[in-house]
């Protein structure tokens, strides 16, 4: 079984400041890792994913994440946030032998203030 | 269609009534998933369909919940004798036939169910 922990339920930050959203996971098998974003009243949209290879993954909207196997983490970062980045962010994992069945973290609400 | 379509977008029902939620996946996608998003519970896996294989129902919270997928396309999630704790946003996702590496799951906008 897999589990995902997002340590911060809310992260307030000022516009143009850097941000890091934390994600830790546990799994008895190898996993793929994902970050999804949910804008208000919208569905989930894939930001980025780690499947293999380079541990630094770049996604849409200037976000990136780094896979750290020893710390079982996949933290999401952006060097300078915009008001439009205000949304809920979900970290997720799927076992690499079980299709795309995703296990999600509880989500982190990013609130960007002017 | 261009994306995953769910209907209705909002549903208010009385406690004890049955409800049906519909999901139209992206054409050609063989995998279909249902998730539930509740306040304080995050996103919870419910059920997974892959092609003609038997569905993975391991996430269904009780026997009041069931789902079917007709013709490998449209899926219906049925909740019988609804309870207030069933109030949530029900999300559907689809993806192309999976292989390695894992491919992206595309989500619909969800159905917001309110049981009063």
């Amino acid at each position: 079984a897999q589990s995902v922990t997002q340590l911060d339920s809310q992260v307030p930050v000022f516009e143009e400041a850097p941000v890091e959203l934390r994600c830790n996971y546990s799994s008895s098998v190898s996993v793929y890792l994902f970050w999804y974003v949910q804008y208000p009243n919208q569905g989930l949209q894939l930001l980025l994913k780690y499947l293999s290879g380079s541990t630094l993954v770049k996604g849409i909207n200037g976000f990136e994440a780094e896979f750290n196997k020893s710390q079982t983490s996949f933290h999401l970062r952006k060097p300078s946030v915009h008001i439009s980045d205000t949304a809920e962010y979900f970290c997720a994992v799927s076992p690499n032998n079980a299709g795309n069945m995703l296990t999600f973290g509880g989500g982190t609400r990013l609130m960007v203030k002017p | 269609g261009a994306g995953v379509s769910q209907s209705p977008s909002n549903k208010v029902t009385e406690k004890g009534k049955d409800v049906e939620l519909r999901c139209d996946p992206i054409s050609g996608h063989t995998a279909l998933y249902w998730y539930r998003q509740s306040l304080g519970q995050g996103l919870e896996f419910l059920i997974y369909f892959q092609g003609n294989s038997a569905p993975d129902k391991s996430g269904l919270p009780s026997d009041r919940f069931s789902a079917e997928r007709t013709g490998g396309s449209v899926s219906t999630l049925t909740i019988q004798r609804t309870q207030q704790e069933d109030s949530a946003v029900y999300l559907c996702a689809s993806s192309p036939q999976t292989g390695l590496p894992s491919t992206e799951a595309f989500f619909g906008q969800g159905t917001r169910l309110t049981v009063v």
Side-chain angles (χ1 to χ4, degrees):
Chain A
Q2 293 75 44
S3 68
V4 180
T5 302
Q6 291 182 243
L7 296 166
D8 306 298
S9 59
Q10 294 187 59
V11 173
V13 63
F14 286 106
E15 193 173 20
E16 298 184 6
V19 70
E20 179 178 82
L21 306 184
R22 295 179 293 170
C23 172
N24 288 87
Y25 70 94
S26 68
S27 176
S28 56
V29 299
S30 296
V31 295
Y32 300 129
L33 298 132
F34 305 81
W35 275 98
Y36 280 84
V37 60
Q38 186 177 35
Y39 297 104
N41 301 313
Q42 294 189 26
L44 291 164
Q45 179 183 359
L46 182 69
L47 263 182
L48 50 78
K49 61 185 176 184
Y50 172 79
L51 305 180
S52 65
S54 172
T55 57
L56 183 62
V57 180
K58 294 189 184 297
I60 62 172
N61 301 340
F63 284 93
E64 64 180 32
E66 185 156 21
F67 170 54
N68 188 318
K69 188 174 182 178
S70 63
Q71 297 187 6
T72 59
S73 67
F74 191 54
H75 301 331
L76 181 71
R77 294 190 288 260
K78 187 170 182 178
S80 175
V81 295
H82 303 287
I83 296 287
S84 58
D85 292 324
T86 295
E88 186 101 21
Y89 291 79
F90 292 93
C91 181
V93 302
S94 73
N96 62 9
N97 61 353
N100 291 316
M101 193 160 60
L102 294 159
T103 299
F104 286 90
T108 298
R109 183 171 298 279
L110 176 64
M111 299 175 293
V112 182
K113 301 180 286 187
Chain B
V4 177
S5 177
Q6 292 187 245
S7 60
S9 55
N10 281 283
K11 176 72 177 179
V12 180
T13 190
E14 292 181 353
K15 179 181 173 181
K17 295 285 179 79
D18 298 352
V19 294
E20 284 189 352
L21 313 179
R22 177 187 169 103
C23 173
D24 282 271
I26 293 172
S27 178
H29 282 191
T30 59
L32 186 147
Y33 313 79
W34 283 98
Y35 291 85
R36 179 168 70 174
Q37 186 175 20
S38 310
L39 277 176
Q41 297 292 325
L43 278 152
E44 174 188 12
F45 164 75
L46 297 177
I47 188 168
Y48 163 47
F49 296 89
Q50 173 58 59
N52 296 321
S53 303
D56 179 342
K57 304 180 182 180
S58 60
L60 294 178
S62 78
D63 59 8
R64 294 187 296 105
F65 287 72
S66 63
E68 63 178 22
R69 189 177 183 193
T70 54
S73 181
V74 172
S75 177
T76 303
L77 177 69
T78 301
I79 309 173
Q80 296 178 308
R81 304 181 302 282
T82 52
Q83 304 294 314
Q84 288 186 330
E85 61 263 28
D86 299 334
S87 296
V89 176
Y90 290 82
L91 292 168
C92 176
S94 71
S95 67
Q97 182 162 3
T98 57
L100 293 175
S102 179
T103 54
E104 178 181 352
F106 295 82
F107 283 80
Q109 294 194 352
T111 294
R112 181 176 297 278
L113 175 66
T114 305
V115 182
V116 298

